[in-house]
């Protein structure tokens, strides 16, 4: 079927879909879906992030939401296309309170997948393009208030005489990007971060660190990287970009500010948050609290017998300062995921004798191969063909998580075939490889557990040829004053031990800042409930507690990689804006 031939079935299906929804004829809607079908909604119908599966799931969702949503105004957007028996089309639509964008995949004339997303709220649109502010009032005005006057007044008042509606704890890329969205929507927001400057979370990492994902994948909202930007951004350059972004987007950002405690008053509908702002105790009372502390929680720091007697240095990977001080030293890196590989390579580059301790199989994919086979939507070729970042984000979002492995298994096979010699070299060195329990590769593993992988940017070659030594399939039995004793009886002399042992669930921060009871009430963050290793069921179909209402009123979690933070910040911001403006937000499948 040609692209032009895809238009008629797409238009026919969308017309039937629109008519059935407007008539609130749920059986007629279901007749447009195949038996094996999925509807993913990002806030537009559900005020949640939800995927419903099959006729029963779609029926339940529509029965709960349709009367209030009042969907209308459906129209095809762009040219539908067809390939391999699948017809795809984008469409726009409206609800009672907003405007949205959607996507459908048709098989044999019926919907296989549908995506609906809220893009803006009616009457509360972002001021941009033709509606941008003038910036001044022309004429002679005595006592004129300038842009700088207003900025200084806002900075002096917010958090003191005037409370923020939303407080974001965590001023990395996630918190900054969400802050920019909220600023554009007119939501009074304050971002706090314990570091001295925006971007310090990157600057304070080891010197050789670069982003593992390419530039096209990593744009921030509104301000993409310029077209001269390197493909893989060095960490200090990223730090400087985030600091500049914070200024350019006019964000209210308190550096050197650490949250001490937070509690929610259900009667007043507000939080009491105590922060230490450069030595000053400040009590904030926001209505909404966002933990934007990244997708990882509190560092997992193991405790081994004899650790107190070890005379060398030992620290978690999150505190690794870089390899400069360890030239000629014997270093053991515990772990075999991204941080472990990066740190092992950094130590080797500085002349250390490095041994990696691999306790379980690791998924490894060359950065170039992942980009070529797995991220073609985020590339220079995609840009040249007219695929915008928003279009790429929505295309990725249009694939329900249940189907992601089905889409990724062929990609993983292509990568294994193309890089067979690379993987053979690792296996010969004794490195234990996995490609996921279903051979679906990096994407599903990231979604399921957020760990267990390394995107290779050079360390694998050092392991394959023995420059980084490897001990695999063993664990630490105990430490002595000068060595690590392994479960197979081997002893490794050591001057430094780096524990690249990962992090707990993001809700560990909620346990620390609010209470263990609230953390337990909310439950774990991340994971789909796939039943695979470190992602126990039941199946949820979405990332647990991310970017949506949680079981704790007015508590939100925002994180993920740069692409996820960019895309999903839109939906967090719209949910918060709707609550600020008093719009009805009945949550389907509340946390």
């Amino acid at each position: 079927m040609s692209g032009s031939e895809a238009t008629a079935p797409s238009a026919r299906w969308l017309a039937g879909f629109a008519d059935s929804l407007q008539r609130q004829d749920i059986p007629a809607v279901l007749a447009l879906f195949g038996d094996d079908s999925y509807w993913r909604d990002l806030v537009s119908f559900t005020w949640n992030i939800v995927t419903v599966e099959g006729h029963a799931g779609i029926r339940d969702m529509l029965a709960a939401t349709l009367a209030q949503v009042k969907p209308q105004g459906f129209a095809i957007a762009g040219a539908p296309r067809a390939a391999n028996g699948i017809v795809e089309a984008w469409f726009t639509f409206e609800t009672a309170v907003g405007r949205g964008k959607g996507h459908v995949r048709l098989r044999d004339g019926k919907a296989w997948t549908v995506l609906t997303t809220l893009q803006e709220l009616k009457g509360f649109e972002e001021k941009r393009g033709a509606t941008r502010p003038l910036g001044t009032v022309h004429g002679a005005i005595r006592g004129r208030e300038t842009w700088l006057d207003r900025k200084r007044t806002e900075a002096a008042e917010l958090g003191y005489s005037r409370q923020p509606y939303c407080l974001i704890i965590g001023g990395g890329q996630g918190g900054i990007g969400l802050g920019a969205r909220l600023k554009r929507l007119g939501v009074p927001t304050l971002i706090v971060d314990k570091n001295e400057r925006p971007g310090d979370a990157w600057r304070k990492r080891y010197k050789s660190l670069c982003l593992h994902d390419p530039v096209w994948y990593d744009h921030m909202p509104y301000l993409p990287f310029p077209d001269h930007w390197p493909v893989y951004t060095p960490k200090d350059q990223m730090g400087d970009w985030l600091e500049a972004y914070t200024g350019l987007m006019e964000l209210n950002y308190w550096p050197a500010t650490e949250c001490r405690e937070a509690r929610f008053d259900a009667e007043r509908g507000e939080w009491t948050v105590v922060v230490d702002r450069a030595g000053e105790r400040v009590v904030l009372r926001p209505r909404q609290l966002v933990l934007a502390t990244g997708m990882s929680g509190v560092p997992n720091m193991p405790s081994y017998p004899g650790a107190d007697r070890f005379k060398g240095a030992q620290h978690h990977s999150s505190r690794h300062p870089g390899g400069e001080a360890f030239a000629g030293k014997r270093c053991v890196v515990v772990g075999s995921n991204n941080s472990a590989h990066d740190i092992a390579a950094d130590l080797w580059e500085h002349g250390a004798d490095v041994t990696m301790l691999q306790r379980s199989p690791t998924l490894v994919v060359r950065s170039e191969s992942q980009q070529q086979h797995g991220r073609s939507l985020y590339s220079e070729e995609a840009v040249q063909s007219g695929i915008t970042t928003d279009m790429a984000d929505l295309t990725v979002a249009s694939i329900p998580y249940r189907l992601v492995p089905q889409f990724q298994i062929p990609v993983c096979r292509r990568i294994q075939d193309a890089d067979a010699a690379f993987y053979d070299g690792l296996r010969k060195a004794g490195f234990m490889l996995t490609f996921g329990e279903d051979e679906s590769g990096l994407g599903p593993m990231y979604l399921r557990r957020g760990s267990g992988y390394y995107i290779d940017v050079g360390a694998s070659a050092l392991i394959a040829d023995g420059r980084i030594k490897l001990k695999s399939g063993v664990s630490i039995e105990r430490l002595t004053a000068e060595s690590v004793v392994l479960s197979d009886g081997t002893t490794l002399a050591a001057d430094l031990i780096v524990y690249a042992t990962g992090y707990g669930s993001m809700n560990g921060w909620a346990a620390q800042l609010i209470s263990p009871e609230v953390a337990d009430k909310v439950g774990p963050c991340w994971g789909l409930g796939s039943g695979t290793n470190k992602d126990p069921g039941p199946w949820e179909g979405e990332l647990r507690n991310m970017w949506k209402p949680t079981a704790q009123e007015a508590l939100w979690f925002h994180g993920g990689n740069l692409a996820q933070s960019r895309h999903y910040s839109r939906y967090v911001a719209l949910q918060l804006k709707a609550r600020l403006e008093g719009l009805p937000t009945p949550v389907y499948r509340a946390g």
Side-chain angles (χ1 to χ4, degrees):
M1 183 184 295
S2 67
S4 59
E5 291 173 317
T7 301
S10 300
R12 186 165 51 249
W13 183 89
L14 189 63
F17 186 58
D19 177 66
S20 301
L21 289 174
Q22 287 182 270
R23 291 188 291 106
Q24 299 186 29
D25 186 344
I26 294 176
V29 175
L30 296 177
L32 296 166
F33 284 78
D35 293 334
D36 175 28
S37 53
Y38 305 83
W39 185 337
R40 188 174 192 222
D41 181 65
L42 306 184
V43 181
S44 63
F45 277 66
T46 61
W47 289 106
N48 202 347
I49 294 178
V50 172
T51 298
V52 292
E53 303 184 1
H55 284 199
I58 296 168
R59 181 187 299 111
D60 183 77
M61 186 268 282
L62 290 177
T65 65
L66 195 50
Q68 185 151 0
V69 173
K70 297 182 174 61
Q72 59 183 303
F74 287 82
I76 293 287
R81 66 188 188 91
N84 302 316
I86 305 296
V87 174
E88 295 187 53
W90 293 98
F91 58 88
T92 56
F93 65 98
E94 294 189 13
T95 69
V97 299
R99 300 180 186 88
K101 188 168 187 177
H103 181 271
V104 62
R105 288 183 181 86
L106 302 175
R107 286 195 309 195
D108 300 322
K110 293 194 174 186
W112 179 30
T113 71
V114 168
L115 170 73
T116 47
T117 71
L118 184 65
Q119 296 290 300
E120 63 181 3
L121 297 167
K122 294 177 182 176
F124 305 104
E125 297 85 355
E126 293 184 3
K127 303 299 183 185
R128 62 176 183 265
T131 63
R132 74 178 77 209
L134 186 60
T136 188
V137 177
H138 291 150
I141 301 173
R142 180 169 290 168
R144 177 190 295 272
E145 185 183 47
T146 67
W147 171 86
L148 185 58
D149 293 332
R150 291 192 296 272
K151 183 178 180 180
R152 286 173 173 168
T153 299
E154 183 176 24
E157 292 179 351
L158 196 63
Y160 293 97
S161 61
R162 184 166 62 90
Q163 289 298 313
Y165 178 76
C166 178
L167 175 65
I168 299 174
I169 297 177
Q173 64 265 15
I176 290 171
L178 176 58
R181 297 271 194 197
L182 292 168
K183 184 82 173 185
R184 289 280 290 265
L185 287 170
V187 178
T189 300
L190 179 63
I191 306 166
V192 300
D193 192 271
K194 64 182 180 181
N195 288 304
E196 292 78 13
R197 295 163 56 195
D200 272 357
W202 288 97
R203 293 188 190 95
K204 292 182 177 181
R205 302 294 299 278
Y206 47 93
K207 283 176 63 176
S208 61
L209 178 65
C210 284
L211 271 66
H212 287 195
D213 294 316
V215 63
W216 307 279
Y217 192 68
D218 291 337
H219 295 303
M220 296 288 288
Y222 308 117
L223 288 180
F225 295 112
D227 59 10
H228 76 282
W229 205 258
V231 174
Y232 299 103
T233 307
K235 56 103 176 179
D236 293 288
Q237 191 174 14
M238 187 66 192
D240 288 352
W241 178 261
L242 292 176
E243 186 169 29
Y245 184 94
T246 301
L248 290 170
M249 299 307 292
E250 303 176 35
L251 305 184
N252 293 297
Y253 188 106
W254 286 6
T257 302
E258 190 162 2
C259 180
R260 298 300 189 189
E261 61 179 272
R263 62 182 183 275
F264 185 69
D265 186 327
E267 284 191 15
R268 296 174 62 91
E270 69 179 23
W271 290 89
T272 299
V273 183
V274 179
V275 302
D276 182 326
R277 187 185 187 192
E280 177 191 8
R281 182 181 184 271
V282 182
V283 179
L284 301 168
R285 301 190 186 279
R287 294 282 177 172
Q288 306 288 341
L289 181 64
V290 180
L291 298 187
T293 49
M295 61 167 282
S296 301
V298 178
N300 288 327
M301 184 67 177
S303 177
Y304 293 114
D308 57 335
R309 297 193 296 274
F310 182 68
K311 293 181 179 179
Q314 53 181 324
H315 50 246
H316 190 267
S317 58
S318 59
R319 302 180 65 84
H320 183 63
E324 293 91 338
F326 301 102
K329 302 294 185 181
R330 300 161 299 180
C331 304
V332 175
V333 178
V334 182
S336 55
N337 295 343
N338 264 337
S339 292
H341 279 82
D342 284 349
I343 290 169
D346 175 64
L347 288 165
W348 180 88
E349 287 181 350
H350 285 92
D353 181 331
V354 187
T355 300
M356 176 181 285
L357 178 59
Q358 184 189 27
R359 299 165 296 167
S360 58
T362 307
L363 188 153
V364 179
V365 59
R366 295 175 61 247
S367 179
E368 295 83 358
S369 298
Q370 181 64 21
Q371 175 63 19
Q372 178 183 353
H373 299 285
R375 292 210 174 118
S376 58
L377 287 170
Y378 301 94
S379 64
E380 195 61 33
E381 292 75 18
V383 172
Q384 296 304 318
S385 67
I387 298 176
T388 65
T389 303
D390 278 349
M391 189 182 302
D393 288 344
L394 287 166
T395 302
V396 171
S398 74
I399 304 173
Y401 287 130
R402 178 81 79 178
L403 298 181
V404 168
Q406 178 178 325
F407 278 68
Q408 289 300 311
I409 286 171
V411 174
C412 186
R413 287 176 183 154
R414 287 198 298 273
I415 290 174
Q416 289 183 67
D417 290 343
D419 293 334
F422 168 80
Y423 291 120
D424 285 345
L426 284 174
R427 291 188 183 98
K428 288 176 183 176
F431 194 90
M432 300 184 296
L433 288 167
T434 181
F435 296 97
E437 293 172 37
D438 52 4
E439 296 276 310
S440 59
L442 176 62
M445 181 172 282
Y446 171 72
L447 295 168
R448 292 163 176 170
R449 53 184 284 194
S451 65
Y453 58 87
Y454 168 55
I455 302 174
D456 177 47
V457 291
S460 290
L462 300 176
I463 293 170
D465 63 18
R467 284 175 286 176
I468 291 176
K469 300 170 188 175
L470 178 69
K471 289 291 294 183
S472 59
V474 293
S475 58
I476 294 178
E477 190 76 25
R478 58 189 170 87
L479 304 183
T480 70
E482 297 179 342
S483 67
V484 177
V485 180
L486 303 180
S487 56
D488 65 354
T490 302
T491 297
L492 300 176
D495 303 300
L496 167 70
I497 305 170
V498 180
Y499 299 104
T501 44
Y503 301 82
S505 173
M506 192 177 174
N507 77 344
W509 295 118
Q512 281 194 5
L513 300 176
I514 307 169
S515 71
E517 291 76 20
V518 165
D520 290 343
K521 178 181 178 181
V522 169
C525 298
W526 212 259
L528 303 170
S530 64
T532 57
N533 184 31
K534 298 190 178 182
D535 184 27
W539 175 252
E540 300 230 359
E542 291 289 344
L543 289 170
R544 296 182 181 98
N545 286 310
M546 297 302 299
W547 314 300
K548 57 188 175 182
T550 67
Q552 170 57 57
E553 182 183 350
L555 177 64
W556 307 77
F557 292 88
H558 178 61
N561 60 31
L562 279 150
Q564 289 173 307
S565 293
R566 173 188 63 243
H567 183 223
Y568 288 96
S569 62
R570 177 193 300 274
Y571 308 111
V572 180
L574 289 170
Q575 291 174 84
L576 293 173
K577 176 65 172 179
R579 285 161 173 78
L580 171 65
E581 301 298 342
L583 300 179
T585 57
V587 179
Y588 176 71
R589 286 190 186 173

